[in-house]
Structure formats: C-alpha cells, structure tokens
Amino acid sequence: MNIATLRKTCLFAPAIGLAAILFAIGCFRQDQRTITIRVPQMRSPACYALIQEALKKIEGIKSTRPDYEKRTVDVTYDALKLAIKNIEFVIAATGFQANDIEPPPDARARLPEDCR
C-alpha cells in the first residue's frame, strides 16, 4: 500500500463511519400519527379519564386529547409499534364503543352510569 492510497483511505474512513451511524439512527425512527376515534359514550371528563388511563399503559401512545362535544378522542401514536385496531380494542375493552368496535357487555356494565 503506497502513501497516496493510505491518504485516500484515511479521508474516506470518517465519512463511512458517519454514514453507518446515520443509517443506524434511521432504523430507529418513529412514524408518529394522529387519529380521531369516535367514542359515543364519552360525555364527561370522568369518562375520558377511564380511556386515558387505559391508553397510558400501551407502549407507543404519545398523547390523547378529548373533544366532548364531538365525542371523539384524538390519539397520537407511533405507527411502527401500534395499529389503529390495537387502540380501538383497548378503548373497547375499557367499556366504550370505539369507532365500529363494540365493547364486551361485562366491560360496559363496569362503567359508571353516566358513561354507559
């Protein structure tokens, strides 16, 4: 190996290392999305608190925001970790209808009267 080849190698080595680091970081990226889920029984902050508590336990949920007038919940989540159906089923398991997913009857029966 001559000096000229060695110099070229030394110039490209940091660039190759930087490219490898950027590639590795890109593999751990997030696909953050926000969806709106219809929750017809959500009439009050007490109802939302039940939904929020259930969603807090799910990895990939970033934030939630209720709209009591429209009876919806906006959920920001990492789409690489969760699908919309996962979120709907968690809300339904709490006892609330989530879009077209009906809750199990026993879960609905456990809800406070004003949330049924």
Side-chain angles (χ1 to χ4, degrees):
M1 182 180 269
N2 63 24
I3 299 281
T5 305
L6 185 59
R7 283 185 185 156
K8 286 180 185 177
T9 303
C10 289
L11 291 175
F12 287 113
I16 292 170
L18 181 61
I21 290 170
L22 291 175
F23 178 75
I25 291 171
C27 291
F28 295 105
R29 70 183 179 91
Q30 294 181 354
D31 183 7
Q32 192 166 306
R33 298 180 187 187
T34 300
I35 58 165
T36 300
I37 298 178
R38 287 179 294 104
V39 185
Q41 301 94 326
M42 189 183 68
R43 298 178 183 98
S44 68
C47 299
Y48 170 66
L50 296 170
I51 295 168
Q52 184 182 33
E53 190 62 34
L55 291 175
K56 266 198 249 182
K57 297 174 185 173
I58 307 304
E59 184 179 344
I61 300 289
K62 303 299 180 187
S63 66
T64 60
R65 186 173 49 93
D67 183 331
Y68 301 110
E69 187 176 304
K70 294 179 183 176
R71 296 187 182 178
T72 61
V73 177
D74 291 337
V75 179
T76 301
Y77 67 103
D78 184 349
L80 296 177
K81 293 182 179 181
L82 290 172
I84 295 171
K85 286 294 180 194
N86 299 115
I87 298 167
E88 291 172 335
F89 279 113
V90 167
I91 294 172
T94 306
F96 296 92
Q97 180 179 337
N99 290 333
D100 296 328
I101 308 297
E102 291 289 332
D106 61 322
R108 180 169 280 175
R110 288 191 303 263
L111 287 176
E113 188 66 36
D114 64 323
C115 296
R116 286 188 205 154

